Amino acid sequence: MLKKFFFALLILLISSGATVAQSSSADSRVEFDFRYWITDLNSKARVSSQVLDGTEFDVKDDLGLEDRNFPEFKFAGRLTKNHKLRFEYFQVDYSGDKSITRSIRFGGQDFNVSTRVVSDFDLKQLRAGYSWQFIGNERIRFGPLVEVRGVWLNATLVAPDDGISESRDFAVPVPAFGADLDAYPHEKVQVFASVAGTPDNRFGHLIDADFGVKVFPIKNVGVTTGYRFFDLKGKDDDDFATARIKGFTIGAAFRF
C-alpha cells in the first residue's frame, strides 16, 4: 500500500505544472532521523576450512534464527540547495538456539544431526555518501549518489554440549553508486527515495533501496515511515555469507 502511495504521489508531483513557494522542508539544511526497522531476514552462508568444504545452510531454517527489529541512525546535511552529504549507521545481532535437523560443516567443524547449536550473526554498516541533486525545481530534487560503505558480517556457531565453537568474519568495503530523490508536496511533508548498490565482484554485491514519507506537525520535529530493502553478499573465494533484510521503518525526524 505504501509503495503504491509513493509512486502515485511522485507521478502527481512530476505531472503537475503548478508552481509553489519553496517549503520549509526544502529550506532545512540539517536532518537527523532515528528509525526503527521492522525486518524480515533471509540469510545463507557457507564456510570451508583449508582442506574441507563447508555446508551451505539457511540461518533461519537450519539454525533457528529469528527476525529482529532494530534502530538505525541517519544524518543528512545540505552544503547548498543541490549538494547533500549523507551518513548512516546500523547494527543488528541475530541469534538462535536449536537442535539441528541436518549435519552442518562450518569452518572445518562438524555439527551433527540433533546437536544443540547456539548461533550468532552480527551485521554492522557505516555509510557515507554525497548526492548532487541538480535535476528538479522547488518541489523536486533528484540526482546521482556516490557512497563509501564499510560492512562487517560475523557468523558464529557454538555446540556448548560438545565444546565446539567456530567463527568467521566477512569485511566488505563497498563503493556504491545510485540515485537520490527528495520531493516536497507540502511545507509539512517530505517524500524521499534513494537506491544505491555495487555489482557482483570478487568481494560480493550490495543493493540498498529506501523510500518513505516525513510529516512535520511541529516546525522542526516530525515522524517518518517508509520501507527499506537491503541485500548484501560477502565472498571470500568459495566461502560466502548473504543477508537480505527488508521491512517497514518508523521513527522520528528532526530538521534545522
Side-chain angles (χ1 to χ4, degrees), residues 52-111:
L52 296 174
D53 291 336
T55 304
E56 180 177 335
F57 59 90
D58 186 294
V59 301
K60 292 177 74 173
D61 293 342
D62 294 322
L63 298 179
L65 268 71
E66 297 181 353
D67 291 321
R68 285 197 60 192
N69 309 323
F70 60 93
E72 57 179 15
F73 306 95
K74 301 175 65 177
F75 164 81
R78 287 195 178 274
L79 303 175
T80 67
K81 182 175 68 173
N82 297 330
H83 299 270
K84 183 170 70 171
L85 298 178
R86 300 156 48 97
F87 300 92
E88 179 192 83
Y89 177 78
F90 72 72
Q91 174 179 342
V92 60
D93 178 11
Y94 294 97
S95 59
D97 188 340
K98 179 181 179 179
S99 295
I100 59 177
T101 57
R102 72 182 184 104
S103 296
I104 296 174
R105 177 173 291 159
F106 181 80
Q109 296 283 2
D110 288 323
F111 298 83

Side-chain angles (χ1 to χ4, degrees), residues 198-250:
T198 186
D200 194 51
N201 57 67
R202 61 185 295 262
F203 298 110
H205 70 251
L206 171 73
I207 302 172
D208 191 357
D210 185 14
F211 68 89
V213 179
K214 301 178 185 180
V215 179
F216 293 87
I218 305 173
K219 182 179 180 181
N220 294 322
V221 180
V223 294
T224 176
T225 185
Y227 189 89
R228 186 170 186 179
F229 174 85
F230 180 88
D231 184 12
L232 171 73
K233 182 176 184 179
K235 295 194 299 186
D236 184 4
D237 295 328
D238 292 331
D239 295 345
F240 72 88
T242 67
R244 177 176 293 179
I245 307 172
K246 59 184 179 179
F248 289 95
T249 61
I250 186 169

Side-chain angles (χ1 to χ4, degrees), residues 79-152:
L79 303 175
T80 67
K81 182 175 68 173
N82 297 330
H83 299 270
K84 183 170 70 171
L85 298 178
R86 300 156 48 97
F87 300 92
E88 179 192 83
Y89 177 78
F90 72 72
Q91 174 179 342
V92 60
D93 178 11
Y94 294 97
S95 59
D97 188 340
K98 179 181 179 179
S99 295
I100 59 177
T101 57
R102 72 182 184 104
S103 296
I104 296 174
R105 177 173 291 159
F106 181 80
Q109 296 283 2
D110 288 323
F111 298 83
N112 298 316
V113 174
S114 300
T115 298
R116 178 190 171 210
V117 177
V118 179
S119 52
D120 189 72
F121 275 60
D122 296 331
L123 176 64
K124 303 176 184 178
Q125 177 182 252
L126 180 63
R127 170 187 187 186
Y130 161 75
S131 62
W132 180 29
Q133 297 177 316
F134 68 96
I135 301 172
N137 50 37
E138 299 303 327
R139 35 189 329 189
I140 298 179
R141 294 172 183 168
F142 175 76
L145 172 65
V146 180
E147 296 181 325
V148 176
R149 302 186 184 214
V151 185
W152 297 268

Side-chain angles (χ1 to χ4, degrees), residues 16 20 31 46 50 58 111 136 140 145 171 177 211 255:
S16 174
V20 296
E31 293 184 1
R46 181 179 65 221
Q50 293 182 347
D58 186 294
F111 298 83
I140 298 179
L145 172 65
F177 306 91
F211 68 89
R255 66 186 185 192

